[in-house]
Structures are given as C-alpha cells and as structure tokens.
Amino acid sequence: MFSRYYSSHSRAIGGGGKMGRFSLPLFVILGFTRLVGARVSGHIPEPQQVNFKSNDFYNVLQWQKGSHNSMNAVYNVEYKMYGEKHWNNKTECWRIHQMFCDLTQETRRFMEPHLARVRALEANGQSNWAMSEMIIPFWETVIGPPRIKLIPQARSILVKMLPPRTPFRRKNGSWMTLDKIYNGIEYLIEISSNLVQNRSDLYTVTGITLSVWNLKPKATYCVRAQIKILLFSKVSDYSGKKCVTTF
C-alpha cells in the first residue's frame, strides 16, 4: 500500500523533476503562508513606556512609539478595572495618531486599581498589546498647588486659597475640589516684601484663609503657597507668586 501511494504521489508531483500542474513544493506553501500571516497579524514593535500621568485625578495614558515604528502608525487603547475579565475599547482613542489618551472618566472610581493597554497598527500589521502598570488614583495622583486670591487692606492682607479642582461633580453640579477628597490638608504660605530682600515669612494653616496684620502701609507683598497632605505623603509644587500693595 505504501509503495502504491508513494508512486502515485510522485507522479502527481511530476516525474523526472518536473512539477505537476496543480502541485507546489511544501517549502513554497509554508513560505507563502508565513508571508500572508505576517501581513495580516504583523509583528511590528509594540509601544514603549506605557504609563499613566495623573494630576488632581485627571488620568491620561501616555506612551512612546516602538523602535522602527513609522510616523504613519496609529494606536488603539483599551482599559479595565483590575480583576475584570474583559477589556473595554476607548472609542475616542481608536486608530489615533497622538501618543496619549484621556482616561479620566474611565478611572473615576479613584479608590480602585485600573489598567490600560495600547497597540500600534501599521499597513503591514499590528503589534502586541503593551500594558500599563496598575494605577490607584487616590494614592498615585500628583496634587497641584492652590490658586491664590489676595485682598489688600489697611496695613494687612487677606489671603484666600482655592484648592485644585478635580474632574468630579457634586450632586448639585458644582465641581469637587481636592479638600473634599483628602482629609488633613495644610497650606504652607510664604510671604515676602520689597522692604527686606532675601527674607520671607512662612505660615502654616489648615483653613483656606489667612489674615496677615501689622504690615507696612503702601508696601508691596508677594505671596505663594503649596499644599501638604502629610497623612498621604503628598506635597504640591509652589504656586506662582502674586503680589499686592497695602493701603
């Protein structure tokens, strides 16, 4: 039986080294299959340095292009909460050219861990998914400095701190500020004047207002402030300086 099969198979391929009309050598078939597979699924480099940048609970996924990715590459982004089985498409970040994707609303449950992944696509295929590290926004978001409002008075200044606004809203529609999420916020306020160079006074307050008395009249004072949340080891940068002249 084996000899009859071998003989008929050899005739199908063609005697004397001649190829049959409908048969191809096995190495040609395998090579063609690999070529088609490469063009469909692709093996282009995956994106690099995939990570979240989180500021005041505004959470943006960002990445760098993989080595040898062309300028025409586009990207798809998916996200999920840790423990979920299925990934979700971020439709606004599907086939995009920019290397960032705003996932603020998708990660609004800020006490929960979140993951995201991104894939590059080019004309000759697509990359593997590149995964971000897990993020829990409550612990990992970077807090920004307060805004400052100065009200000059007779030989005094009233300093008002405006905590950073978050992307969350209260039931009445107003924006929720950082002090409504974290307990134990302190404001470190630095005040300097044009009367004495290289000298400043520091004040630490837990409220959002500070009255500074017994100042010189018609003198200019400059103020900047930062936020500290020692319980959660968070310290903001200083705000920009604001100046005002007393009466």
Side-chain angles (χ1 to χ4, degrees):
M1 181 182 295
F2 177 80
S3 60
R4 289 199 299 271
Y5 170 78
Y6 181 81
S7 176
S8 62
H9 184 64
S10 297
R11 286 195 299 271
I13 294 178
K18 294 182 179 179
M19 185 176 295
R21 181 177 298 176
F22 301 108
S23 301
L24 289 172
L26 183 59
F27 73 87
V28 175
I29 295 173
L30 291 176
F32 178 75
T33 302
R34 289 172 181 169
L35 177 61
V36 172
R39 293 184 66 84
V40 172
S41 62
H43 294 287
I44 67 175
E46 62 190 49
Q48 301 295 310
Q49 301 178 40
V50 182
N51 59 75
F52 277 97
K53 183 177 181 181
S54 180
N55 295 93
D56 297 328
F57 296 98
Y58 290 87
N59 305 318
V60 177
L61 186 73
Q62 57 187 10
W63 59 90
Q64 299 294 324
K65 70 176 184 176
S67 59
H68 308 302
N69 281 162
S70 74
M71 298 302 294
N72 295 321
V74 294
Y75 301 94
N76 291 346
V77 173
E78 294 183 343
Y79 65 93
K80 71 174 182 176
M81 201 148 46
Y82 180 77
E84 292 181 341
K85 292 184 178 180
H86 302 292
W87 289 90
N88 305 293
N89 295 342
K90 172 66 173 177
T91 54
E92 295 85 353
C93 298
W94 208 249
R95 300 189 69 84
I96 58 174
H97 289 279
Q98 68 266 24
M99 288 181 284
F100 63 88
C101 175
D102 188 348
L103 292 174
T104 297
Q105 290 303 313
E106 290 72 19
T107 54
R108 62 186 176 274
R109 295 176 64 177
F110 53 78
M111 294 295 292
E112 301 293 338
H114 299 270
L115 291 165
R117 63 183 186 178
V118 58
R119 162 183 279 172
L121 299 93
E122 295 184 12
N124 63 333
Q126 60 190 13
S127 74
N128 295 324
W129 288 103
M131 188 89 67
S132 73
E133 292 186 357
M134 187 173 63
I135 182 174
I136 303 176
F138 181 84
W139 295 103
E140 298 175 52
T141 199
V142 176
I143 61 173
R147 290 176 293 144
I148 298 173
K149 184 177 181 181
L150 301 180
I151 301 174
Q153 298 172 338
R155 301 187 62 181
S156 67
I157 299 173
L158 177 63
V159 182
K160 287 188 175 182
M161 269 72 63
L162 304 174
R165 192 183 75 178
T166 73
F168 313 123
R169 290 183 182 270
R170 298 187 183 91
K171 292 182 178 179
N172 63 7
S174 62
W175 293 104
M176 186 179 295
T177 51
L178 207 65
D179 57 328
K180 306 305 180 185
I181 296 177
Y182 292 108
N183 294 322
I185 286 184
E186 295 181 348
Y187 299 93
L188 182 63
I189 303 169
E190 179 184 280
I191 301 178
S192 57
S193 74
N194 61 345
L195 301 176
V196 181
Q197 292 185 351
N198 301 319
R199 177 184 168 182
S200 59
D201 296 317
L202 295 177
Y203 302 84
T204 300
V205 297
T206 55
I208 60 172
T209 60
L210 171 68
S211 292
V212 185
W213 302 93
N214 299 320
L215 301 177
K216 297 293 183 179
K218 297 183 180 180
T220 299
Y221 292 86
C222 294
V223 180
R224 65 175 187 166
Q226 68 175 174
I227 292 175
K228 289 187 175 183
I229 313 175
L230 299 181
L231 182 61
F232 302 106
S233 302
K234 292 182 180 291
V235 180
S236 77
D237 291 333
Y238 269 102
S239 65
K241 280 188 177 182
K242 279 197 169 183
C243 300
V244 71
T245 302
T246 56
F247 299 158

